[in-house]
Amino acid sequence: MDRLQVESKESSACWALMLISAFPEKDGIGQTVPLAHAGSRYILETSVYPGEPEPMKELRELTANHPWNIMTTSADEGQFLSMLLKLINAKNTMEIGVYTGYSLLATALALPDDGKILAMDINRENYELGLPVIEKAGVAHKIDFREGPALPVLDQLIQDGKYHGTFDFIFVDADKDNYLNYHKRTIELVKVGGLIGYDNTLWNGSVAAPPDAPLRKYVRFYLDYVLEFNKAIAADPRVEICQLPVGDGITLCRRIS
């Protein structure tokens, strides 16, 4: 994966913390910095880490040693995804963008034993870093991993015809410049009443930054794509949305037609 595609998902109690992280210098925010850090730490230590499944803790700590560790899903977002999947009784799911598999493991643990996840990523090596943990957790049988770009796989599913409206939940956490292309396809594959979750939609908080803000290179590179996606998804009559400041921002889209 190109280093420009590194996506920061540091835990955050509010988007202000993510906004700060988008800037080379952490100034001009006054007391927001310590308060946001304190709030985030409080959530993690009080509500997330105590109940984090042991396999997820192991994978989180393993991933922390990887040079691209900022791409991983935050622990609070993993907890959120787990509860969400249980609430909607998801069984057939898809994940676009896997990295070492923290969100994938959260999904696999939340699904019933006969649940399925179609998982796609361009880098099998990263996925295989976390695979031993996934196997030890006893949920590897739920995962169908495909290495390579996701768009051709999605196109084939649509062309086959039998997969229209069959997915309960789809999680997208991949190249931001293709989010609209993913949405054009996933909206056909998720069932009416099902959910699509798009990660990083606050994009380090840069979506609210002034035009002349000194953003980091990778943040600036994808910012316009994220802004375009957010605007388009809010106007899509086929879905109702809820954008949440969990992790680096996640937008849930519930298909209504």
Side-chain angles (χ1 to χ4, degrees):
M1 184 177 290
D2 193 312
R3 286 187 179 272
L4 280 174
Q5 292 178 293
V6 172
E7 303 154 5
S8 175
K9 304 176 186 175
E10 296 178 350
S11 299
S12 174
C14 64
W15 70 263
L17 177 58
M18 296 181 287
L19 176 58
I20 296 162
S21 70
F23 292 85
E25 300 297 331
K26 297 181 180 180
D27 57 6
I29 310 294
Q31 292 301 310
T32 304
V33 179
L35 287 176
H37 276 291
S40 176
R41 178 55 53 187
Y42 175 81
I43 290 173
L44 290 172
E45 294 182 351
T46 304
S47 303
V48 179
Y49 292 154
E52 184 181 31
E54 191 59 35
M56 291 183 64
K57 178 182 178 182
E58 181 179 354
L59 183 51
R60 175 170 55 82
E61 292 176 346
L62 181 154
T63 303
N65 296 317
H66 192 271
W68 297 350
N69 57 37
I70 59 174
M71 292 197 305
T72 192
T73 300
S74 63
D76 54 341
E77 186 172 8
Q79 180 194 59
F80 172 75
L81 290 173
S82 176
M83 179 170 288
L84 180 67
L85 289 161
K86 294 171 183 175
L87 286 171
I88 66 173
N89 295 313
K91 188 173 180 179
N92 189 36
T93 71
M94 180 191 300
E95 182 158 332
I96 302 172
V98 172
Y99 184 42
T100 61
Y102 187 82
S103 57
L104 183 64
L105 178 57
T107 299
L109 289 170
L111 296 184
D113 191 61
D114 59 346
K116 299 296 180 185
I117 313 165
L118 173 59
M120 293 166 276
D121 198 287
I122 60 173
N123 192 320
R124 177 179 288 273
E125 183 178 348
N126 287 339
Y127 166 66
E128 290 182 344
L129 285 175
L131 185 55
V133 179
I134 294 172
E135 291 175 335
K136 187 167 65 172
V139 293
H141 66 282
K142 302 178 186 180
I143 300 168
D144 176 10
F145 179 81
R146 312 277 184 92
E147 182 181 22
L151 289 175
V153 178
L154 298 176
D155 287 338
Q156 186 60 54
L157 292 175
I158 292 170
Q159 184 178 335
D160 286 349
K162 60 184 179 180
Y163 297 101
H164 285 245
T166 60
F167 288 87
D168 303 309
F169 180 74
I170 299 175
F171 185 57
V172 182
D173 182 14
D175 41 331
K176 310 310 166 200
D177 47 333
N178 266 321
Y179 264 30
L180 281 175
N181 289 324
Y182 292 137
H183 186 66
K184 290 174 183 176
R185 293 158 173 82
T186 56
I187 194 65
E188 295 190 39
L189 297 169
V190 72
K191 70 180 184 181
V192 174
L195 295 175
I196 309 170
Y198 292 98
D199 202 18
N200 303 112
T201 56
L202 291 181
W203 199 227
N204 290 239
S206 63
V207 293
D212 60 346
L215 302 177
R216 298 185 186 278
K217 186 178 180 181
Y218 77 91
V219 175
R220 175 72 67 187
F221 184 86
Y222 288 108
L223 177 56
D224 286 344
Y225 293 111
V226 176
L227 290 171
E228 180 186 14
F229 173 77
N230 287 343
K231 184 176 181 179
I233 208 74
D236 188 342
R238 299 168 297 179
V239 297
E240 55 184 10
I241 70 169
C242 179
Q243 188 173 21
L244 300 168
V246 177
D248 190 23
I250 181 172
T251 298
L252 297 178
C253 302
R254 178 176 176 269
R255 183 181 175 187
I256 57 177
S257 67

